[in-house]
């Protein structure tokens, strides 16, 4: 494999990385997805992610690096598909009035994806307290007893989860202003 160009411009380096390895990456992803449209999208997403990280100079072995980044993107793709399918299954059980416009469904799917990412980033014990309280409606004392932790710990974990949720909401607000 030819080394990346010595140019100081990251765009030039990205161009050479893309032109030298896009075809290989697309084929690699297509074999894992068995869908050439999704493979093309995810190959593009891989290069966009690399571009957004501004770390092209650090890439010593392009193909293993591209494969590693693509694996994360593929994983995210499957998780989003799973969330979308769960939501569509849920919608199919609702009366027609509850299944609103396509725009509303898209917003809801994006919100579900953000919640999934948020929950995935939480330590397991904090996530468990949050889900027990929010989804199962359990009181802090019940959660503490169920998990074998103190009441103070249950409250502290819930506070940490809520702070994390609020920080995500704050980031979204700042991005839209």
């Amino acid at each position: 494999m030819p080394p990346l160009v010595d140019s100081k411009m990251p765009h030039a380096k990205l161009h050479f990385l893309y032109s030298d390895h896009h075809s290989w990456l697309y084929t690699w992803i297509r074999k894992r997805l068995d869908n050439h449209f999704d493979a093309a999208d995810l190959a593009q997403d891989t290069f966009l992610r690399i571009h957004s990280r501004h770390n092209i100079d650090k890439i010593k072995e392009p193909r293993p690096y591209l494969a590693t980044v693509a694996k994360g993107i593929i994983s995210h793709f499957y998780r989003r598909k799973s969330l979308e399918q769960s939501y569509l299954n849920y919608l199919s059980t609702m009366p027609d009035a509850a299944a609103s416009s396509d725009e509303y469904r898209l917003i809801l799917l994006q919100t579900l994806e953000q919640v999934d990412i948020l929950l995935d980033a939480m330590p397991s014990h904090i996530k468990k307290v949050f889900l027990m309280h929010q989804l199962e409606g359990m009181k802090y004392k019940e959660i503490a007893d169920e998990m074998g932790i103190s009441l103070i710990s249950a409250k502290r974990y819930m506070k940490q989860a809520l702070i994390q949720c609020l920080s995500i909401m704050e980031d979204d607000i700042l991005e839209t202003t």
Side-chain angles (χ1 to χ4, degrees):
M1 273 176 265
L4 295 177
V5 252
D6 229 5
S7 171
K8 300 290 182 201
M9 295 176 41
H11 294 296
K13 290 180 181 184
L14 181 65
H15 172 75
F16 285 104
L17 180 69
Y18 185 91
S19 62
D20 289 349
H21 301 286
H22 177 268
S23 179
W24 172 84
L25 181 64
Y26 165 77
T27 303
W28 186 88
I29 293 172
R30 193 187 73 233
K31 287 177 183 175
R32 281 146 185 83
L33 296 183
D34 199 32
N35 178 322
H36 63 94
F37 295 114
D38 290 335
D41 288 345
L42 297 184
Q44 291 299 104
D45 290 349
T46 301
F47 285 102
L48 285 173
R49 171 116 6 120
I50 291 168
H51 175 66
S52 71
R53 290 182 180 169
H54 305 291
N55 59 355
I56 296 169
D57 293 330
K58 297 177 185 173
I59 300 173
K60 302 294 183 228
E61 297 291 331
R63 289 187 177 180
Y65 183 80
L66 288 167
T68 299
V69 173
K71 283 177 190 175
I73 289 172
I74 291 169
S75 174
H76 177 78
F77 171 80
Y78 279 125
R79 185 157 73 231
R80 181 178 169 91
K81 285 284 195 196
S82 175
L83 271 174
E84 188 175 330
Q85 189 57 53
S86 296
Y87 173 66
L88 292 174
N89 290 343
Y90 172 75
L91 269 186
S92 70
T93 66
M94 302 300 291
D96 286 341
S100 301
S101 70
D102 289 339
E103 180 183 6
Y104 178 76
R105 277 185 244 151
L106 179 62
I107 290 169
L108 203 51
L109 279 171
Q110 289 172 338
T111 303
L112 283 172
E113 183 178 9
Q114 287 178 323
V115 168
D116 182 55
I117 290 168
L118 171 76
L119 289 173
D120 199 44
M122 287 182 188
S124 61
H125 58 284
I126 293 174
K127 177 171 38 176
K128 188 170 184 177
V129 168
F130 180 78
L131 292 174
M132 291 169 90
H133 183 68
Q134 294 296 314
L135 298 181
E136 298 175 28
M138 295 175 71
K139 305 284 185 213
Y140 293 125
K141 177 73 173 119
E142 296 170 325
I143 294 169
D145 292 343
E146 172 90 15
M147 291 182 65
I149 59 175
S150 69
L151 179 60
I152 294 292
S153 290
K155 289 179 179 180
R156 185 175 62 241
Y157 295 160
M158 186 63 184
K159 179 181 175 183
Q160 289 172 330
L162 291 173
I163 288 170
Q164 205 165 348
C165 290
L166 288 172
S167 71
I168 296 293
M169 289 172 57
E170 184 179 73
D171 290 346
D172 284 349
I173 290 169
L174 292 174
E175 284 178 9
T176 60
T177 56

